[in-house]
């Protein structure tokens, strides 16, 4: 049996990840589920979102702006860009006046 790749927890900070976490917390407080079950559900959420993005998202973009901060730690790149402009393959352009945080992580190695 192949060993499952560990998933990053980035998506827990998304709107849907926060809603899931809040709902699981409420269920734990009510005694509906055990904390271990909630942790397993969050781990499955992490893996499912990463898998869906890997298989279903194929869009490419070019990003331009002023690089404010960058760091590389534990195979994760983090970039904070000021005045970022995103140009998508379909020629759509989106500009942000705020700082944008991009997080990129290493893909699992193929076995």
């Amino acid at each position: 049996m192949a060993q499952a790749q560990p998933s990053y927890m980035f998506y827990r900070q998304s709107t849907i990840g926060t809603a899931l976490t809040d709902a699981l917390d409420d269920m734990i407080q009510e005694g509906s589920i055990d904390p271990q079950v909630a942790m397993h559900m969050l781990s499955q959420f992490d893996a499912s979102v990463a898998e869906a993005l890997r298989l279903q998202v194929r869009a490419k973009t070019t990003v331009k702006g002023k690089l404010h901060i960058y760091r590389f730690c534990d195979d994760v790149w983090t970039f904070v860009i000021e005045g970022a402009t995103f140009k998508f393959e379909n020629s759509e352009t989106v500009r942000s006046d705020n700082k944008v945080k991009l997080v990129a992580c290493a893909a699992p190695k193929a076995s």
Side-chain angles (χ1 to χ4, degrees), residues 42-82:
L42 285 171
S43 295
Q44 183 60 51
F45 171 78
D46 297 333
S48 296
V49 171
E51 181 76 358
L53 291 173
R54 184 180 70 80
L55 294 175
Q56 298 177 16
V57 177
R58 293 286 176 236
K60 293 182 182 177
T61 185
T62 302
V63 182
K64 292 185 180 181
K66 180 181 176 191
L67 185 60
H68 180 68
I69 296 172
Y70 70 95
R71 70 177 65 96
F72 180 71
C73 182
D74 296 331
D75 285 333
V76 177
W77 279 102
T78 303
F79 303 93
V80 176
I81 303 168
E82 294 177 357

